[in-house]
Amino acid sequence: MQPNTSSPHGHGQSERDKGAAGAEDADIRTYVTLMLADQLCGIPVLLVRDVLAGQQIARIPLAPPEVAGNLNLRGRIVTAIDLRQRLHLPPRSAANKPMSVVAEHGCELYALLVDQVSEVVSLRATDMERNPPTLPPIWAEHSVGIYRVSERLMVVLDVERLLKLELMMAA
Amino acid sequence: MDDLLPEFLTETNESLADLDLALMKLERGPDDKATLSLIFRLVHTIKGTCGFLGLPRLEHVAHAAENVLGRVRDGELVATPEVINLVLAALDRIKLIVAGLAATGTEPAGDDTAVIAALDRACAGDITPAQAPAHLPAETAETPDAQPVQETPAGPQTIRVTVDLLEDLMTLVGELVLTRNQLLQLSRAEGTTAFSAPLQRLSHITSDLQEGVMKTRMQPIGHAWNKLPRLVRDLAQETGKKITLDMRGQDTELDRQVLELMRDPLTHMVRNSADHGLEIPEERRAAGKPETGRIMLNAYHEGGHIIIEVSDDGRGLDVARIRDKALSKGLATEAELAAMTESQIRAFIFRAGFSTAAAVTAISGRGVGMDVVRSNIERIGGTIELTSTFGAGSCFTVKIPLTLAIVSALIVSAAGERFAIPQISVMELVRVGHGNDAKPGSGQSAACMAIEHIGETPVLRLRDRLLPLISLGPLLRMDGTQAKAASTTVVVTSVGSGLLGLVVDEVFDTEEIVVKPVAPILRHVTMFSGNTILGDGSVIMILDPNGVARSAGVSSRSSAASNEGETQSFQSDERVALLLFRAGNEATPLAVPLSLVARLEDVAVSKIETSANGYVTQYRGRLMPLIAMNEAGFQLGRRMSEGDAETAQGNGAAAEPTQPILVFADGDRCMGLMVDAIVDIVHDRLRIEIGGARRGLLGTAIIAGQAADVLDTSHWLTVAWRDWFGGEQTASKARQRVLVVEDSDFFRQLLVPTLSAAGYDVTSVGSATEALKMRDAGLRVDVIVSDIEMPDMDGLGFARIVRESGPWAELPMIALTSRGSPEQIERGREAGFTDYVQKMQREALIESLRQCLDARTGQLDHAFA
């Protein structure tokens, strides 16, 4: 999936058309949208190295619960982090296979397991709002802000915090 | 100027390093013209380049130094230590300026007038007393960027390559190896196709490429040592001692990564030797040693490892002081210390915060050293051992793997997942069945290996040793298919200096794997030393046997007691496998180290007969005496109810009473201790709290949370066989110790198993000089078997030296030879050999050994009579 700044369609549609560039170019942020436990989320596209589906994940004995295992990405070993576990959300059912968003952090590659990855949206930086008080604390902790996207809230995930080792549960 | 600067910096740093070494050389031999002109040339070049590049500070300092060196070269000045000190001071100043230059791109501001003035004065003939050499804060002068492929000035051409480029090459080659493995695997599945031949070729080329790129990463260890001569010299001056540094094996090559990691530990150890180990000249004279102390560095390759020895001939480690310090720091109790061997006590210096230095000096004594050294070494998969003789010196032996990146590994599976075990740790593979179905005491042949279970703990009897077993599945908390297969495999791995058996489901093959470090989030899991991608693309973890052993609580660092000739090695600060049992109708259970027990048997009472000497049973074709711990009130076959009811029922032979027996064996001799019940096997520390007042017991200890009496094994062994220990009074190892000196690997490998099977404890060395080294290191043996025809020192020379003096002078010595003329036999006897045996005559050798040893014990008996 190639990141692009053209107008998206379908799920997570932006309200404004970015075609009229002009003075707003500097303020446009592009996100990869994804679904996690029925919550729409976004990750800045520049942090995303790859999006994968149907990966063979080898489990790692004695790893912390949010580490789903290892996978082989073109010869590099990538650690898979199950975001549902990480955010203490209920586990996904066995029938639903996760998709992965591969991000880099501290010279290591991590595959963030999510339910579904949608497309790339471009939004105006000025539209980003602070986390509303109604946002459940588990999301608030790992979000840098939210966007209102066609009557839904899109939580912008704080990838750095998600991958912060010290915060992960020890085995 | 910008593009010239990096070149200048690199070149000047190299020159400075060379100058350090050369000045040391000059000091030792002030008339060395060649070294002198080298030094002059280097300084002259530096001065010239600085002038050309417009670096005034450097130019002036270098110029002043050059003047002094010029006068030395012309013979008007002698290169005394004071002069050398001045030149060194100038070099230090240059290093400082260069460091500043490297950091900022311009010369830092500063005042060199003092240094220059001192040099000018020296030129004029006025040599001020040596100034304390300036200690530079940090050697940041080395630019990490460039690395020459070879160092010889004349000879093969060299080229500079950046380290990053080499790292990239290395990674690419790693990927290539993996892809090649994948292709090979696929092609194996396909059989022979048109692809097979080119693929073979590709595979060979890949292997060669791999080897070549690995070589580029190799650097001589001398690079890590090049600062040491200067360091030692400065330390000698500061402490007022005389020290020489002997370096051997500088050309031994090792991986660049490993080299970097070894720099600091080596420096630390050398500092320790200079500061604490070596004595001041007066002390040395008083002790009859040469005034100049020696620190020796020796590096060599051995079987996939690099061995680095750092030794000194100083005062050695004072075991008594270490013991006191350990006590005062609360690291061990009196009782524990009493039960430790000397080498275990010495090992305390590796604990954090431990230092017996009376004063904390700037050099060492802060007590943060040796534990960091050890952990640094272990982090790269190496080990460090320490030997020391009080009064004579100490020696640290560091063993590190040759390369970290690509290793051979055995692929196994457990609980449905595959793992890799580094081939270096794998000693052997044993196919086992689950032996609970086999009829006990039926004298099964050794070919049928069975896992025996004591309670829940599995053990394996391997050539008269009970090997602790760990099942990987449960240990890694994997709930895979726990199928009780008809047969499984035990991978016998070496951990520290002991063995551990890993029970796996299946063993696949050995593969070359590229070790990739685990993700940071998994670093705390010590059982894995990395992960890798197999030929089929799957990712598997690499096990670290040491980590596995630690997690399972099995002692991974048993003391290498053989060099000390120590007796029972109760390791009171490590956990050992202990067998708990009940006997003599006591409420308190008894304990014995599992390693002493050869076998656990359940003998049918009907098979136990009485003789004039007591109870006996037929065991493996011989009569085995059975001893009951508590003669009075002993009842054959009576068992306590713990767990035995189920066993009896499970056997389906509840009608037939059986007697549990602990079998102790040594060569031909065996003895059975009749017990009431075997309780369990636990892993715990053996700390005898209350000394044994009763016969047959060593004392009481707390094991697995409850009090247990510890069996005095040697007592019971002598009850059964009065001459179990050959008449010697001490409770020494029952097996006689043989030293085999034989230069032919092939023949040594023939001989060693033969002698082991005959019941001897065999130590084998490849040369007489090595044998003598071991003698001086404290190895104790009972008999020596030596080849005559050996390069360097032959058997006759060896025998003469042994007989002349030393701990082995009275031992029986047997000569092995392919020739056997009467003259040679006579010459052998003259040199000191007790007997002469032809090489291929196994029986004759065993017979001769027996005779010699019997004769010796006969002598000893006479001595004691």
Side-chain angles (χ1 to χ4, degrees):
Chain A
M1 208 195 276
Q2 287 303 314
N4 58 69
T5 53
S6 60
S7 239
H9 29 266
H11 221 294
Q13 190 160 19
S14 139
E15 291 185 86
R16 313 207 185 182
D17 190 345
K18 296 302 153 259
E24 300 179 330
D25 263 344
D27 288 348
I28 291 173
R29 308 270 174 85
T30 315
Y31 299 92
V32 173
T33 57
L34 50 102
M35 290 299 295
L36 189 61
D38 288 332
Q39 174 63 52
L40 178 67
C41 306
I43 293 184
V45 75
L46 291 172
L47 295 180
V48 177
R49 300 262 171 279
D50 244 303
V51 175
L52 313 166
Q55 286 294 310
Q56 183 82 324
I57 298 180
R59 58 188 177 128
I60 304 173
L62 299 181
E66 54 272 286
V67 176
N70 273 333
L71 55 91
N72 171 4
L73 181 63
R74 292 187 298 274
R76 278 189 77 169
I77 297 183
V78 177
T79 313
I81 310 276
D82 187 337
L83 283 188
R84 275 191 181 236
Q85 283 274 3
R86 180 80 179 89
L87 297 176
H88 305 278
L89 300 166
R92 67 179 61 83
S93 61
N96 300 340
K97 301 289 176 209
M99 289 182 76
S100 315
V101 174
V102 179
E104 186 167 342
H105 177 74
C107 297
E108 296 276 333
L109 287 181
Y110 293 91
L112 305 170
L113 297 184
V114 300
D115 300 341
Q116 183 76 30
V117 178
S118 305
E119 60 287 288
V120 175
V121 301
S122 296
L123 304 168
R124 286 222 295 224
T126 44
D127 288 339
M128 169 131 74
E129 301 173 30
R130 277 222 214 99
N131 293 328
T134 49
L135 194 66
I138 192 61
W139 291 104
E141 244 183 80
H142 296 94
S143 136
V144 293
I146 58 119
Y147 279 87
R148 285 181 210 281
V149 176
S150 42
E151 284 135 36
R152 295 190 65 145
L153 279 187
M154 183 188 89
V155 172
V156 179
L157 290 175
D158 183 352
V159 175
E160 175 128 1
R161 194 178 160 84
L162 283 174
L163 292 177
K164 221 169 167 162
L165 300 179
E166 303 80 46
L167 300 177
M168 299 211 204
M169 307 177 255
Chain B
M1 157 82 149
D2 272 346
D3 26 331
L4 293 174
L5 193 56
E7 281 282 342
F8 165 73
L9 287 170
T10 316
E11 215 178 274
T12 309
N13 281 319
E14 278 180 27
S15 302
L16 288 170
D18 290 339
L19 276 168
D20 259 347
L21 289 171
L23 279 165
M24 297 302 110
K25 223 171 149 198
L26 188 67
E27 200 181 10
R28 284 199 291 275
D31 296 321
D32 186 348
K33 292 251 180 290
T35 309
L36 184 51
S37 40
L38 171 69
I39 296 173
F40 184 83
R41 219 175 37 240
L42 289 170
V43 175
H44 181 77
T45 310
I46 294 179
K47 184 203 81 169
T49 329
C50 295
F52 175 68
L53 291 175
L55 302 166
R57 267 187 84 187
L58 283 170
E59 194 191 347
H60 289 139
V61 177
H63 184 73
E66 188 194 10
N67 286 341
V68 173
L69 288 167
R71 304 208 71 205
V72 177
R73 192 186 55 168
D74 295 340
E76 294 164 28
L77 216 55
V78 178
T80 60
E82 288 77 18
V83 170
I84 304 273
N85 271 346
L86 285 176
V87 177
L88 285 173
L91 287 184
D92 286 341
R93 184 52 62 97
I94 292 179
K95 276 186 207 156
L96 206 56
I97 304 174
V98 167
L101 187 57
T104 62
T106 50
E107 274 186 335
D111 181 12
D112 306 316
T113 44
V115 176
I116 298 180
L119 287 164
D120 290 341
R121 278 202 301 275
C123 238
D126 166 21
I127 300 173
T128 46
Q131 306 160 355
H135 283 293
L136 293 179
E139 299 282 355
T140 51
E142 309 263 319
T143 23
D145 249 6
Q147 169 191 326
V149 174
Q150 288 212 22
E151 282 228 304
T152 47
Q157 292 216 329
T158 64
I159 190 170
R160 286 192 201 283
V161 175
T162 62
V163 165
D164 284 340
L165 181 56
L166 285 179
E167 291 283 349
D168 288 344
L169 273 179
M170 192 68 207
T171 318
L172 284 173
V173 168
E175 296 304 318
L176 187 61
V177 167
L178 290 179
T179 314
R180 185 268 319 255
N181 292 351
Q182 244 174 315
L183 284 173
L184 281 181
Q185 190 148 25
L186 291 170
S187 117
R188 246 178 274 154
E190 296 289 315
T192 318
T193 65
F195 287 103
S196 307
L199 194 51
Q200 258 322 93
R201 177 103 187 96
L202 183 69
S203 172
H204 284 141
I205 299 176
T206 307
S207 300
D208 287 344
L209 181 62
Q210 182 187 344
E211 242 185 83
V213 172
M214 301 277 265
K215 279 212 204 107
T216 66
R217 285 172 59 103
M218 302 292 256
Q219 274 195 304
I221 198 174
H223 285 197
W225 289 354
N226 55 10
K227 295 238 174 24
L228 293 177
R230 170 81 191 271
L231 177 75
V232 166
R233 180 188 181 277
D234 292 344
L235 285 171
Q237 284 200 343
E238 279 188 36
T239 55
K241 302 179 189 168
K242 300 204 180 137
I243 311 179
T244 58
L245 182 64
D246 248 349
M247 301 192 290
R248 260 177 275 170
Q250 290 103 308
D251 296 329
T252 311
E253 295 201 325
L254 71 169
D255 187 284
R256 199 186 63 86
Q257 221 177 328
V258 175
L259 188 77
E260 284 309 310
L261 292 168
M262 282 310 297
R263 256 186 222 272
D264 284 342
L266 284 176
T267 310
H268 187 86
M269 286 190 276
V270 169
R271 287 199 130 124
N272 270 352
S273 282
D275 203 21
H276 299 308
L278 293 175
E279 317 92 323
I280 54 177
E282 291 85 58
E283 264 187 62
R284 288 184 69 89
R285 249 181 286 132
K289 297 188 195 172
E291 267 196 11
T292 311
R294 298 175 83 205
I295 301 179
M296 287 152 288
L297 293 174
N298 187 18
Y300 53 94
H301 285 152
E302 191 180 76
H305 283 85
I306 291 242
I307 316 285
I308 306 174
E309 293 168 352
V310 181
S311 57
D312 64 70
D313 63 353
R315 54 170 79 97
L317 290 177
D318 185 348
V319 174
R321 271 184 77 193
I322 297 179
R323 191 185 280 134
D324 293 339
K325 195 81 179 210
L327 203 56
S328 69
K329 283 204 186 271
L331 295 169
T333 67
E334 279 272 8
E336 288 171 340
L337 289 168
M340 285 190 194
T341 66
E342 282 202 355
S343 69
Q344 285 170 308
I345 296 187
R346 274 187 230 118
F348 270 111
I349 66 168
F350 289 112
R351 301 273 192 110
F354 194 96
S355 170
T356 55
V360 170
T361 67
I363 303 170
S364 45
R366 244 173 270 278
V368 294
M370 289 314 290
D371 62 316
V372 174
V373 167
R374 183 165 78 171
S375 60
N376 275 356
I377 290 173
E378 290 191 340
R379 199 179 310 146
I380 55 180
T383 55
I384 178 166
E385 304 277 331
L386 160 64
T387 55
S388 169
T389 317
F390 188 44
S394 317
C395 175
F396 289 90
T397 308
V398 177
K399 188 167 152 183
I400 40 189
L402 212 41
T403 177
L404 307 175
I406 301 187
V407 296
S408 269
L410 184 70
I411 314 294
V412 301
S413 81
E417 293 282 341
R418 279 178 298 172
F419 299 95
I421 305 178
Q423 189 67 42
I424 268 185
S425 318
V426 176
M427 294 291 118
E428 59 184 290
L429 300 175
V430 179
R431 180 139 230 149
V432 291
H434 282 270
N436 272 343
D437 323 310
K439 194 151 189 285
S442 56
Q444 297 166 26
S445 69
C448 170
M449 295 288 223
I451 295 182
E452 296 158 28
H453 286 263
I454 310 297
E456 287 302 312
T457 319
V459 289
L460 179 71
R461 192 176 83 79
L462 189 66
R463 293 187 293 272
D464 277 339
R465 278 177 80 165
L466 276 174
L467 186 73
L469 294 180
I470 295 180
S471 278
L472 277 185
L475 184 72
L476 299 173
R477 287 182 233 154
M478 298 186 301
D479 34 38
T481 43
Q482 283 282 17
K484 281 251 177 213
S487 72
T488 54
T489 316
V490 171
V491 180
V492 182
T493 58
S494 83
V495 284
S497 43
L499 293 177
L500 173 67
L502 298 173
V503 182
V504 301
D505 294 341
E506 230 188 301
V507 170
F508 299 107
D509 51 0
T510 304
E511 286 191 30
E512 294 251 309
I513 55 172
V514 177
V515 177
K516 303 202 185 228
V518 293
I521 190 180
L522 296 164
R523 293 263 160 83
H524 66 281
V525 184
T526 54
M527 289 204 254
F528 302 126
S529 60
N531 46 22
T532 183
I533 300 182
L534 288 183
D536 62 1
S538 47
V539 181
I540 65 170
M541 308 300 295
I542 304 172
L543 289 173
D544 173 16
N546 280 306
V548 172
R550 260 196 289 268
S551 306
V554 176
S555 161
S556 67
R557 245 198 297 277
S558 39
S559 66
S562 57
N563 275 358
E564 303 257 324
E566 293 288 341
T567 58
Q568 285 174 322
S569 48
F570 285 142
Q571 301 144 26
S572 59
D573 69 333
E574 307 281 355
R575 303 172 99 193
V576 290
L578 296 163
L579 177 71
L580 286 176
F581 61 98
R582 285 195 198 280
N585 199 16
E586 304 273 343
T588 326
L590 293 139
V592 66
L594 192 59
S595 53
L596 293 178
V597 180
R599 221 181 146 81
L600 298 162
E601 292 282 6
D602 228 354
V603 176
V605 169
S606 54
K607 291 232 157 57
I608 299 179
E609 305 160 74
T610 31
S611 76
N613 295 328
Y615 291 108
V616 292
T617 187
Q618 292 189 36
Y619 183 72
R620 301 183 162 204
R622 309 185 68 94
L623 273 184
M624 173 167 79
L626 299 175
I627 307 289
M629 282 196 64
N630 187 0
E631 296 285 351
F634 176 72
Q635 211 180 320
L636 205 54
R638 183 219 42 198
R639 309 163 73 91
M640 302 189 56
S641 54
E642 280 179 77
D644 290 333
E646 300 105 83
T647 325
Q649 280 165 13
N651 278 344
E656 164 133 55
T658 55
Q659 173 65 48
I661 294 178
L662 304 188
V663 179
F664 298 91
D666 174 33
D668 277 351
R669 296 222 186 99
C670 53
M671 165 277 218
L673 189 71
M674 297 191 283
V675 301
D676 292 336
I678 293 176
V679 175
D680 204 353
I681 291 185
V682 295
H683 293 106
D684 201 351
R685 296 178 181 79
L686 184 58
R687 239 179 276 137
I688 299 182
E689 313 257 338
I690 307 171
R694 281 173 299 163
R695 242 176 22 117
L697 296 174
L698 281 179
T700 315
I702 298 195
I703 294 171
Q706 63 171 146
D709 290 332
V710 181
L711 191 74
D712 180 1
T713 318
S714 46
H715 167 89
W716 296 104
L717 292 175
T718 42
V719 168
W721 296 88
R722 230 186 314 277
D723 59 343
W724 188 286
F725 294 110
E728 289 178 9
Q729 305 293 328
T730 51
S732 51
K733 278 199 184 154
R735 293 163 78 92
Q736 303 275 26
R737 295 158 296 187
V738 183
L739 174 69
V740 172
V741 186
E742 166 63 59
D743 65 300
S744 151
D745 281 342
F746 168 72
F747 192 67
R748 213 168 48 234
Q749 280 173 25
L750 271 186
L751 198 51
V752 172
T754 308
L755 293 175
S756 297
Y760 295 97
D761 231 5
V762 187
T763 312
S764 69
V765 293
S767 72
T769 23
E770 249 210 81
L772 290 172
K773 262 208 304 200
M774 297 189 86
R775 176 190 71 169
D776 295 332
L779 176 69
R780 295 283 171 267
V781 292
D782 300 306
V783 60
I784 301 176
V785 175
S786 169
D787 188 12
I788 297 290
E789 296 99 18
M790 295 189 284
D792 295 337
M793 194 187 301
D794 73 351
L796 299 176
F798 174 58
R800 276 186 219 111
I801 295 186
V802 167
R803 289 282 178 235
E804 205 179 299
S805 72
W808 290 352
E810 305 292 313
L811 293 179
M813 293 184 68
I814 301 176
L816 285 178
T817 177
S818 30
R819 307 176 244 155
S821 69
E823 296 87 27
Q824 290 180 329
I825 299 185
E826 192 44 46
R827 254 201 298 207
R829 283 210 202 281
E830 271 177 4
F833 279 105
T834 323
D835 202 0
Y836 230 75
V837 175
Q838 290 260 16
K839 265 193 180 176
M840 285 310 181
Q841 299 192 345
R842 186 180 151 272
E843 299 298 337
L845 176 61
I846 307 267
E847 186 55 33
S848 170
L849 278 168
R850 206 179 56 74
Q851 281 178 349
C852 286
L853 287 168
D854 279 352
R856 180 158 189 251
T857 50
Q859 283 170 358
L860 286 178
D861 278 348
H862 281 292
F864 284 134

